[in-house]
Amino acid sequence: NNNNPVYCIGLHPASGWESNDGVKISHEITGAEDLMFADQITGTWNSHFPKQQYSHLLTWIKINFCAMTMEAARQWGGVTEITISSKDKLKIDLAKTSDKVTFSENVINIKAFENAEGVLPSLTSTEAGSVLCSPATEYIVKIKTTNYPDGKEIPVILTDLDYQPLASSSEAVGKLFIISLYFSPFNVIEGTCTLNYWNGQNEDLYMKES
């Protein structure tokens, strides 16, 4: 009640964050969890906190696949696993006034799809799965099939709504990209990317008890 300022930040999810000093905070990137941050706000006894403004920190990737011909599908065999490259940890430095969010240098493969029996690509697109990754301008997608168990790596460049390559990884933050994989004969897979809407601009997100 002495009207001294009180400071507040917001982190989502509520658990999994690590910090040794309360200033530098980190969270593992698992591919399944969305990570969000609300920057510092100030309030006093007489002037209460404004609303927290949360921002998505990761990039949402959905992966589809299909075969260009049924002969190509038979040649590749069933898709058993699809992984996508990502940094393994997100870091927030609260002492900075800008560029507070960074990512580790360690690159991991996050599993987007797994089926031990293998799913044969069809002529129509099949949605394989989705993951939440560290933002990037390019991802390496690795595909394993029953006939190619060692896997094949495909670099996929992210593009904007005008199909132009992203200039920096910051342009991928909080966005949803659809990566489509096309299986062709002669050991060829082509990957394309489409930017899509994550959620409506005026849509509110509400927390609810599980």
Side-chain angles (χ1 to χ4, degrees):
N1 60 3
N2 57 11
N3 214 41
N4 286 340
V6 178
Y7 303 93
C8 172
I9 64 164
L11 299 168
H12 172 83
S15 61
W17 297 91
E18 299 177 350
S19 179
N20 293 325
D21 56 9
V23 176
K24 294 182 179 179
I25 307 168
S26 65
H27 197 291
E28 181 184 2
I29 297 175
T30 65
E33 279 185 314
D34 187 17
L35 302 180
M36 293 193 290
F37 172 59
D39 209 346
Q40 179 178 291
I41 54 176
T42 307
T44 66
W45 181 269
N46 294 326
S47 180
H48 297 171
F49 284 128
K51 288 184 178 180
Q52 287 185 312
Q53 300 294 323
Y54 281 83
S55 298
H56 295 286
L57 302 179
L58 303 181
T59 300
W60 188 8
I61 301 290
K62 287 186 177 182
I63 298 179
N64 301 332
F65 65 84
C66 69
M68 301 303 289
T69 66
M70 288 312 301
E71 177 59 31
R74 288 188 288 269
Q75 178 183 330
W76 282 98
V79 179
T80 57
E81 183 180 284
I82 299 176
T83 59
I84 188 166
S85 58
S86 171
K87 302 295 180 64
D88 69 341
K89 187 167 290 189
L90 177 147
K91 302 176 181 179
I92 302 174
D93 189 342
L94 299 175
K96 291 184 176 181
T97 56
S98 62
D99 300 324
K100 294 183 179 183
V101 179
T102 58
F103 296 86
S104 67
E105 295 302 319
N106 300 323
V107 178
I108 57 173
N109 284 321
I110 297 178
K111 200 168 293 183
F113 174 82
E114 185 176 32
N115 187 303
E117 301 299 321
V119 176
L120 195 69
S122 66
L123 297 179
T124 57
S125 183
T126 299
E127 184 173 323
S130 68
V131 289
L132 291 149
C133 306
S134 59
T137 57
E138 177 180 297
Y139 291 102
I140 302 297
V141 181
K142 186 172 184 178
I143 304 104
K144 293 183 180 181
T145 70
T146 52
N147 294 340
Y148 293 88
D150 291 335
K152 186 175 180 66
E153 292 186 347
I154 308 295
V156 179
I157 297 174
L158 301 192
T159 59
D160 59 22
L161 290 172
D162 295 321
Y163 300 100
Q164 298 300 310
L166 300 187
S168 69
S169 59
S170 62
E171 296 181 20
V173 176
K175 294 185 174 69
L176 165 63
F177 294 87
I178 312 296
I179 292 179
S180 298
L181 304 173
Y182 299 94
F183 290 78
S184 300
F186 313 114
N187 195 22
V188 175
I189 303 175
E190 180 183 358
T192 64
C193 168
T194 305
L195 175 60
N196 210 327
Y197 292 102
W198 188 326
N199 55 269
Q201 291 295 315
N202 297 319
E203 182 178 337
D204 293 324
L205 302 179
Y206 297 95
M207 297 182 66
K208 64 179 182 179
E209 295 182 1
S210 58

